[in-house]
Amino acid sequence: MTDIIIIGAGPAGMTAAIYARRAAKSVLVLEALSYGGQIINTPDIENYPVAAHISGFDFATKVYEQAQALGAEFKFEKALSVEDNGAEKIVRTAKNSYTAKAVIIATGSQNRKLGVENETKLVGRGISYCATCDGAFYRGKRVAVVGGGNTALEDALYLADIAEKVYLIHRRDSFRGEELTADALRARDNVELVLNSTVRELHFDKRLTSVTVADKAGNPREIEVSGLFVAVGRIPENSDFSAVLELDRAGYAVASENCRTKTPGVFVAGDNRVKDVRQLVTATADGAVAATEAIRFVNEH
Ligand code: NAP
């Protein structure tokens, strides 16, 4: 039996792995896709102490290598459920069942869809949820970004260096994201803010050709773009674990700052838990706290 299974190899999960290994606990990290979580989509991290500028991918790689060097085992399998048998927790994947004394669920969140007709059909043919992954395909073209949070603002800024023109479509006239980034966007000649507007229709032949937006009065405007980058927030990845977690209305795991859940020996860390500030620094902090709690739990049981 492993001491601590960590589900999710984002900054929270991998930091938890580092802390748990430094306490000499055996650690298995289960990850559905690849290490790094959503931070790998951030081109330039400026707000993490010490590293004034580092790409999300480089950051994630360094943390991954650090956790591996300390002896954390990583398996790239999607955890499908967590079962609480008291002293033994069972984590099932499609192929295997793993047992642990404690489990840390650090699964983060996934992209929220816009919910417009044909959105899913056009993914990879004009619709994208990751500017840093797909931006290069739109060099010299016209694109739009939807959203008003930090992701949308940073995506628009990133795309302004690549695309001919960037429309930033936001449903309100003020941004949820940082004012400094919004100012940087306003200073760009090739960025147009389309405020108080929502995307109503997607037009396409084989690929996206234009979008229709409507303002608050319902007035439509068609904007010709070959790419639409959707950045309207995230949905927590907790639904597979509702047997051991209490979820709030939005699906976030209820836990206080000590990362404990309703199930003794099951902890949550990072963006999938109820919290006010979801940042890289708070995710890694959660990893440290959850691991410390899990280590204590393992030592006491
Ligand atoms: P977010 O902060 O939740 O913002 C989502 C945005 O999408 C909001 O502006 C929201 O509008 C809009 N929106 C939501 N549903 C919509 C819909 N159906 N149609 C149109 N617009 C919709 O999400 P995020 O930007 O992905 O950021 C998530 C977290 O990561 C935040 O805490 C953010 O600060 C953090 N983050 C930090 C950094 C960084 O520190 N460098 C970078 C990226 C993200 P309203 O404002 O009207 O609600």
Side-chain angles (χ1 to χ4, degrees):
M1 188 182 339
T2 307
D3 289 325
I4 302 172
I5 289 180
I6 298 165
I7 304 175
M14 292 197 293
T15 303
I18 289 170
Y19 273 72
R21 280 303 302 147
R22 283 180 45 78
K25 300 300 173 215
S26 56
V27 171
L28 170 63
V29 184
L30 293 173
E31 165 59 51
L33 299 168
S34 55
Y35 68 79
Q38 62 167 305
I39 197 64
I40 59 168
N41 300 323
T42 297
D44 186 20
I45 301 166
E46 263 192 349
N47 57 4
Y48 197 81
V50 178
H53 289 278
I54 183 168
S55 76
F57 181 76
D58 286 348
F59 178 90
T61 302
K62 279 175 188 282
V63 186
Y64 176 63
E65 288 171 353
Q66 192 176 350
Q68 268 199 325
L70 284 165
E73 185 185 2
F74 286 75
K75 287 194 176 178
F76 292 91
E77 294 177 44
K78 183 175 167 52
L80 300 174
S81 64
V82 176
E83 200 178 305
D84 177 30
N85 282 354
E88 183 184 84
K89 320 289 175 209
I90 303 167
V91 181
R92 293 189 206 283
T93 68
K95 289 185 196 154
N96 294 303
S97 289
Y98 300 98
T99 54
K101 295 173 188 164
V103 173
I104 298 172
I105 300 174
T107 38
S109 55
Q110 59 165 284
N111 298 311
R112 177 179 288 127
K113 305 280 183 291
L114 208 49
V116 180
E117 201 178 346
N118 296 312
E119 180 179 0
T120 309
K121 188 169 154 182
L122 290 169
V123 171
R125 293 193 286 141
I127 300 285
S128 170
Y129 300 87
C130 177
T132 51
C133 315
D134 300 330
F137 298 125
Y138 297 89
R139 190 165 297 282
K141 297 184 174 167
R142 299 160 83 84
V143 299
V145 175
V146 198
N150 275 322
T151 304
L153 298 182
E154 289 178 9
D155 283 1
L157 206 52
Y158 176 77
L159 290 164
D161 286 335
I162 298 171
E164 180 203 346
K165 171 138 189 176
V166 179
Y167 298 90
L168 177 60
I169 302 163
H170 180 38
R171 65 185 178 186
R172 293 188 294 129
D173 62 359
S174 63
F175 293 110
R176 190 175 288 272
E178 285 172 21
E179 218 23 63
L180 217 60
T181 321
D183 283 345
L185 276 176
R186 289 184 191 104
R188 293 296 186 103
D189 291 338
N190 66 338
V191 173
E192 182 181 332
L193 305 184
V194 182
L195 302 177
N196 290 318
S197 298
T198 51
V199 176
R200 295 291 174 84
E201 282 175 49
L202 306 173
H203 307 284
F204 56 97
D205 39 49
K206 282 184 181 145
R207 297 182 51 89
L208 184 75
T209 52
S210 66
V211 300
T212 297
V213 300
D215 64 16
K216 287 204 162 156
N219 300 311
R221 172 184 171 191
E222 188 171 347
I223 303 174
E224 276 183 31
V225 284
S226 49
L228 180 70
F229 290 85
V230 179
V232 296
R234 321 237 353 139
I235 297 171
E237 297 255 38
N238 289 325
S239 53
D240 290 336
F241 313 113
S242 54
V244 289
L245 299 177
E246 178 189 347
L247 304 182
D248 75 1
R249 279 179 58 196
Y252 289 94
V254 176
S256 62
E257 290 302 310
N258 61 22
C259 298
R260 289 184 201 169
T261 69
K262 70 169 190 179
T263 307
V266 176
F267 305 88
V268 281
D271 281 7
N272 56 320
R273 91 167 166 87
V274 170
K275 52 158 65 179
D276 288 334
V277 182
R278 291 195 176 85
Q279 292 285 298
L280 181 55
V281 72
T282 60
T284 56
D286 265 17
V289 173
T292 304
E293 291 287 334
I295 292 160
R296 186 174 297 150
F297 182 87
V298 169
N299 287 342
E300 288 172 359
H301 291 82

